Amino acid sequence: MLKVLKFGGTSVGTIESLRNVKAIVEGLPDPAIIVVSALGGLTDKLIATARSASEGKTDYVEEMVGIRKRHHDIISELIPEERKEHVFSEVDALLDSLEERYRGLSLIRILPERTLDEIVSFGERMSSVIVSGMLSEATHHNSLDFVKTEKWFSRNIADRKLTDELIRKQFCLPLNKHAVAGGFISTDRNTGEITNLGRGGSDYTAALIAAALNADLLEIWTDVDGFLTADPRIIKGASIIPSMSFVESMELCSFGAKVIYPPTIYPVFHKNIPIKILNTFNPTAPGTMISDAVPSKGKARGVSSLSNTSVITMSGSLTSNVAEINSRAYNAMARNGISVFLVAQPSIESSFSIAMPQADGEKALEQLRLEFSPELQSGELTDLAKTDNLSVIAVVGEGIKQSKGLGQNIVKELMSAGVSVKAISEGASDTTVAVVVDNGDVREGLNIVHELCFEKMLSEK
C-alpha cells in the first residue's frame, strides 16, 4: 500500500514533535513518501527578516543566529551520529546561502519577488534534509527538481503535466525506503527560478505526488484530531466528523475551516484517492476520512464561518433576470481576481447580493459599477450598495437542501435570539446553506446554528 504523508509546520516545529513524526513514519508497515513543511513559524520569520534586510537594517545577523541555532539544536538531538556530519554540512550550506541573500538585500535596499521566493524556499529545503536524516531508512528528494510551475496572470500555478512526469521519474515504485521531500517549493518550468505553490503549498505538493503516483491514501498530519463539526474554540460541543465527502470538506474549508487548504483536494479528488486527517500529537485518534463516499445525504456535516466579509446588493428590475446578472457579476469578479463566497438573497425584493472578502469590497463595487453602468443609467438597476463588517455562517452537508425548511429554521432561531440576518443563500449549492450576519454576532450565531443542526447529537452526549 502506497501512502503519502504530509507533516505541517507544527508537526516539525520542535524536537518533541519531530520525535512523534519519527515514531509515526517508522511504525508504518511499508515505505512511504513523506512531505514536510518548514519548521513551525520559520516561513513568517524568513519573510519578515527579508523585508527588514531590504530596508537596510542589520538585524538579519541576529535573526540568522537564532535560525542557525534552532536547526543545529534539532540536528544535534535527533540525527544519528553516523549521519550527523552529512546533515550539518547540507544544512549549513543552505544557512550560509540564506545569510548571503540577506546581506545582499541589505545592500541593494529592494526586495524582488523572485528573491523573496528563493528566501522562503530555504525553510522546506532544510527541514526535508533534517527529516530524511532523522529517519532510519530514508532518501532525500529535492522538490525543486520535480515540481514545476507556470505563470497564470501574476500567480505561479503547477504545470500538472510536466510535474506528473517528473514525479514518476523521481520516485521509482515500489519504494524500498521512505522518501522525504519538502512541500511548498517549486521552480518555473521556463526560467528555472525558484517559485512556490503559495498558501497551503505543502498540502498541495503532497496531493500532486499522491495523484501522479496513484497512491492508495494521502494522510495530512496536523495538530487537530480531524475535521470537527465546528471550531472548538467557539463551540464547546463540537465533535470529530469520522467521515465526509470530498465536496463537503472543500465547502467547509472554503467557508473558514482551516484544517486543509481546498486546492489540495482537487488532484486526489479526480483520482479518487482518499485523504485522512490525523493528529501528530495524538496519533491514536481515528481522525477524519475524506473520500467520494457520502456517509448520509441531507444531514449537516459541519458548521463554519468567514468573518470580515462585504456584501454588495444590487437593486432594480434587472435582478429578476437571475441568469444574466449572476453571470455578469461573477465574470466581472473573476476578471479581477476577486473571490465570491456566495450569492445571497437579501430580505428586500428585486435585489441580488454577492459576498466577498472585505479587503476586496471596494474594488468589487467599482468593477460592478463599470459592468452594470448601462443598467444604472437606464434605471434597470437603481442602486449598488456595499455593507462591510459582516460574517458568513455556513452549514455544510451533501444534499443539505433535502432538509426542507433548514434555512428558514436557522433564520427563525437567529432572529428570536436577537441576531439580525442580513441575507440567506440556500439555492446556489446543494451542499451549503449560508446566512450573513454582523461580525459582532458570529460567535453567538455559530452556537445557535450548531445547536440547531446537531441538537440530537448534543443531547446524546
Side-chain angles (χ1 to χ4, degrees):
M1 181 179 188
L2 177 61
K3 286 185 181 182
V4 177
L5 287 74
K6 179 263 176 176
F7 292 93
T10 55
S11 297
V12 298
T14 66
I15 291 169
E16 292 74 19
S17 63
L18 279 163
R19 282 200 178 102
N20 289 346
V21 171
K22 179 178 171 67
I24 290 165
V25 174
E26 293 183 351
L28 294 171
D30 301 305
I33 296 172
I34 316 302
V35 176
V36 295
S37 297
L39 304 188
L42 182 64
T43 300
D44 287 342
K45 183 177 285 292
L46 292 174
I47 293 170
T49 305
R51 288 175 176 157
S52 179
S54 69
E55 294 168 0
K57 298 175 184 175
T58 59
D59 56 352
Y60 73 87
V61 177
E62 185 179 347
E63 293 290 355
M64 279 302 307
V65 171
I67 292 170
R68 195 177 291 270
K69 182 179 185 304
R70 185 179 180 190
H71 287 81
H72 279 193
D73 287 348
I74 290 172
I75 295 169
S76 297
E77 188 69 29
L78 295 177
I79 305 299
E81 285 299 325
E82 66 272 16
R83 293 194 292 274
K84 202 165 279 185
E85 183 180 350
H86 172 73
V87 174
F88 265 124
S89 174
E90 292 275 311
V91 172
D92 277 338
L94 290 167
L95 287 165
D96 291 344
S97 294
L98 174 60
E99 191 160 9
E100 285 178 15
R101 302 300 182 276
Y102 285 145
R103 190 178 298 116
L105 288 177
S106 71
L107 295 174
I108 64 173
R109 305 288 180 94
I110 58 171
L111 181 55
E113 181 183 348
R114 65 182 182 182
T115 303
L116 183 59
D117 284 347
E118 183 181 6
I119 283 172
V120 297
S121 77
F122 282 97
E124 276 76 9
R125 290 158 76 184
M126 292 188 292
S127 66
S128 58
V129 169
I130 290 172
V131 171
S132 64
M134 174 186 75
L135 298 172
S136 58
E137 290 284 329
T139 56
H140 178 258
H141 300 258
N142 188 349
S143 297
L144 299 179
D145 295 335
F146 57 86
V147 181
K148 300 294 179 178
T149 61
E150 57 184 322
K151 278 289 185 186
W152 189 74
F153 293 97
S154 60
R155 295 172 53 221
N156 296 306
I157 64 168
D159 179 336
R160 288 292 308 279
K161 183 178 180 181
L162 177 57
T163 298
D164 283 358
E165 291 174 1
L166 293 173
I167 287 171
R168 285 191 282 268
K169 290 179 182 177
Q170 183 73 206
F171 300 96
C172 297
L173 302 180
L175 298 173
N176 53 26
K177 290 182 179 181
H178 297 303
V180 180
F184 177 67
I185 58 176
S186 50
T187 50
D188 186 274
R189 69 176 185 184
N190 297 315
T191 67
E193 291 177 348
I194 293 176
T195 57
N196 62 67
L197 299 174
R199 180 186 162 205
S202 291
D203 286 355
Y204 192 47
T205 301
L208 290 173
I209 293 172
L213 300 178
N214 293 311
D216 297 292
L217 181 66
L218 169 60
E219 293 183 352
I220 305 292
W221 288 84
T222 181
D223 56 1
V224 294
D225 285 345
F227 271 92
L228 281 82
T229 53
D231 187 336
R233 295 169 298 180
I234 299 174
I235 312 294
K236 291 182 179 179
S239 62
I240 295 293
I241 305 170
S243 60
M244 62 198 312
S245 71
F246 288 117
V247 173
E248 288 170 337
S249 63
M250 285 189 280
E251 286 285 281
L252 276 173
C253 290
S254 296
F255 283 101
K258 294 181 172 64
V259 180
I260 190 172
Y261 189 49
T264 298
I265 300 166
Y266 301 144
V268 290
F269 168 65
H270 291 299
K271 287 291 191 77
N272 195 21
I273 299 169
I275 306 172
K276 196 163 192 180
I277 310 297
L278 295 158
N279 190 345
T280 307
F281 305 92
N282 185 19
T284 59
T288 299
M289 180 66 82
I290 304 169
S291 69
D292 66 342
V294 180
S296 54
K297 280 203 169 191
K299 291 185 178 180
R301 194 76 57 220
V303 179
S304 57
S305 66
L306 282 172
S307 296
N308 300 318
T309 294
S310 289
V311 170
I312 297 177
T313 300
M314 294 173 269
S315 305
S317 60
L318 182 67
T319 60
S320 62
N321 189 340
V322 175
E324 179 184 349
I325 200 166
N326 194 13
S327 173
R328 289 173 62 186
Y330 263 101
N331 286 335
M333 298 300 96
R335 286 196 301 270
N336 291 276
I338 298 171
S339 173
V340 175
F341 296 152
L342 55 83
V343 174
Q345 300 146 7
S347 54
I348 57 174
E349 294 182 0
S350 300
S351 62
F352 175 91
S353 291
I354 58 173
M356 70 288 299
Q358 190 163 308
D360 293 330
E362 202 58 44
K363 182 180 178 182
L365 183 62
E366 177 185 340
Q367 294 303 318
L368 288 172
R369 281 177 174 154
L370 285 172
E371 173 66 31
F372 292 101
S373 177
E375 288 78 11
L376 286 166
Q377 291 182 30
S378 69
E380 288 181 87
L381 282 181
T382 56
D383 189 32
L384 262 73
K386 178 171 69 74
T387 306
D388 294 330
N389 302 314
L390 300 174
S391 292
V392 178
I393 298 174
V395 179
V396 173
E398 289 264 18
I400 197 71
K401 283 199 296 185
Q402 294 176 20
S403 297
K404 293 182 179 179
L406 177 60
Q408 288 73 17
N409 287 336
I410 289 172
V411 172
K412 180 181 176 182
E413 291 290 327
L414 290 171
M415 299 290 276
S416 65
V419 176
S420 176
V421 176
K422 307 299 181 183
I424 179 171
S425 174
E426 56 178 344
S429 170
D430 188 47
T431 312
T432 304
V433 173
V435 292
V436 180
V437 301
D438 288 322
N439 273 344
D441 289 331
V442 67
R443 179 175 288 267
E444 183 181 3
L446 276 168
N447 275 278
I448 291 168
V449 173
H450 187 268
E451 184 174 1
L452 173 66
C453 293
F454 298 97
E455 185 175 359
K456 181 179 179 182
M457 178 192 72
L458 293 173
S459 67
E460 291 175 350
K461 287 188 173 183

